[in-house]
Amino acid sequence: MSTVPIIDIAAIRDPTAERSAVDACARLIDSACRDVGFFLVVGHGVAPDRLTRLAGLARQFFALPEDEKSRVAMERGGRAWRGWFAEGAELTSGRPDHKEGFYFGSELPPDDPRVRAGMPLHGANLFPGRPAALGPAVRGWIDAMTALGQDVLRGMAVGLGLPADWFASHLTADPTVLFRIFRYPPVVDDPDGWGVAEHTDYGLITLLAHDGTPGLQVRPRGVEEWLEVPADPGAIVVNLGDMLEAMTGGRYRSTPHRVRPPTIGEAPEGGRLSFPFFLDPGFDVPVAPIPLPDGDWSADTPAARWDGVDLAGVSGHYGDYLTAKVAKVFPALARGVGTAD
């Protein structure tokens, strides 16, 4: 497939939709998951002004002096690994990214048993003093993307021949939710520089909104050239993570992608904004194959991955797997630099 498909998921979201419409949508999702590992969704029900407001508040925050942003730096987030980081502080495939960002997740109080036990990636978010409205906007976006992600997973379940609620019942009843806001500063044209180097995501699915600036590129298996993902701010990009590829035995693809930084004049003042949201299995969910219905999946035999990793060897609980992955992204925090204060 030489393009990233666009799929209207209104039928999946509508509880009154006829089964034929749901099945037709699910077939499109299934095909995209097998062939590309990426697709764009429209008919998702997320009001455009919600993203416009979130983007405006994010730009206000990123425009603050660095000493003010550092008051909510990740080093202050403790084991929850939440907060702001400066450009170059995050690594992808061992290379510093040309972006700055802000990490968020499910909001948990200090008396939550998981927080009291010191479970990594669990805790409270760090929100800046200004703009004060950023915190509520982020919480609202997390709620909207969680609901949308569960809708997308219903479509995938039907496409796989499973009950529509299979993911919600077995993997995402209490999902691991992570949300990022990234700013890619504009650069002088540099063909060898990348906002984010080639990589795949870790978990089940990623829902990506952005400000309409191009830059995201993908390379499906069997396609030699990188494909530009259409930069339609009204559509939300969906891509699959390594865990979904592992759990489907390679039927669904976790596709390499990268981000080209915007050139000066290409992006709005301040740079390109993107809003990746990760909906993953619960932290304590065992990594195990999804029970696909009997069938001939020979066409979906796993191919050699771009990074040489054999996902068939992944085991244990999802939280252990995720923590090890995140530790490579922020090695300083993994060495115990991040402590709550």
Side-chain angles (χ1 to χ4, degrees):
M1 186 174 288
S2 59
T3 60
V4 178
I6 301 174
I7 302 174
D8 188 332
I9 63 167
I12 295 293
R13 298 179 49 251
D14 182 0
T16 67
E18 294 191 6
R19 183 56 191 257
S20 60
V22 173
D23 288 346
C25 182
R27 284 195 296 271
L28 293 175
I29 292 175
D30 182 66
S31 177
C33 291
R34 284 183 289 153
D35 296 337
V36 187
F38 267 79
F39 55 98
L40 286 77
V41 296
V42 296
H44 48 66
V46 180
D49 59 351
R50 184 187 289 270
L51 178 60
T52 300
R53 176 167 173 74
L54 180 63
L57 293 167
R59 290 195 184 281
Q60 291 180 43
F61 172 77
F62 286 128
L64 295 174
E66 187 160 316
D67 61 345
E68 184 171 352
K69 290 186 286 188
S70 66
R71 297 173 190 169
V72 288
M74 290 190 72
E75 288 80 1
R76 299 177 180 272
R79 294 178 66 80
W81 285 11
R82 313 283 173 84
W84 169 80
F85 65 86
E87 180 183 345
E90 184 173 31
L91 307 180
T92 300
S93 300
R95 295 176 54 184
D97 295 338
H98 183 69
K99 70 174 190 290
E100 68 172 314
F102 211 146
Y103 269 38
F104 309 96
S106 298
E107 187 77 33
L108 298 177
D111 60 350
D112 185 281
R114 293 164 292 184
V115 178
R116 296 180 63 181
M119 189 175 291
L121 302 173
H122 290 72
N125 289 301
L126 297 180
F127 291 120
R130 60 176 184 150
L134 181 60
V138 164
R139 294 189 190 98
W141 188 260
I142 288 175
D143 289 344
M145 290 299 101
T146 300
L148 176 59
Q150 300 284 22
D151 288 337
V152 171
L153 289 175
R154 278 199 296 275
M156 289 184 184
V158 174
L160 286 167
L162 299 168
D165 64 351
W166 190 91
F167 284 97
S169 297
H170 294 83
L171 301 183
T172 59
D174 182 18
T176 300
V177 167
L178 304 173
F179 175 50
R180 323 291 193 222
I181 301 178
F182 292 145
R183 182 185 76 89
Y184 297 88
V187 298
V188 176
D189 188 24
D190 180 4
D192 297 321
W194 294 100
V196 178
E198 180 178 3
H199 68 286
T200 54
D201 294 345
Y202 308 141
L204 283 183
I205 59 172
T206 304
L207 306 178
L208 175 70
H210 55 80
D211 65 2
T213 305
L216 178 61
Q217 300 177 337
V218 304
R219 187 167 62 182
R221 295 177 191 177
V223 178
E224 295 184 1
E225 297 183 354
W226 288 87
L227 306 180
E228 293 281 347
V229 177
D232 180 355
I236 292 178
V237 181
V238 179
N239 69 273
L240 315 185
D242 294 344
M243 186 54 53
L244 189 56
E245 179 173 326
M247 287 183 163
T248 59
R251 179 179 183 181
Y252 280 3
R253 311 296 198 190
S254 177
T255 299
H257 49 286
R258 64 187 185 185
V259 179
R260 173 180 55 82
T263 56
I264 295 175
E266 182 180 28
E269 183 177 358
R272 176 182 186 268
L273 292 183
S274 70
F275 306 87
F277 174 87
F278 306 89
L279 184 65
D280 292 347
F283 216 68
D284 294 328
V285 169
V287 176
I290 293 173
L292 299 176
D294 292 338
D296 180 10
W297 308 132
S298 58
D300 305 299
T301 300
R305 280 174 52 92
W306 66 282
D307 55 4
V309 172
D310 181 8
L311 293 178
V314 178
S315 61
H317 292 87
Y318 181 71
D320 298 329
Y321 162 85
L322 178 62
T323 302
K325 290 288 188 179
V326 174
K328 294 181 179 180
V329 175
F330 290 102
L333 289 176
R335 292 193 296 267
V337 173
T339 56
D341 61 10

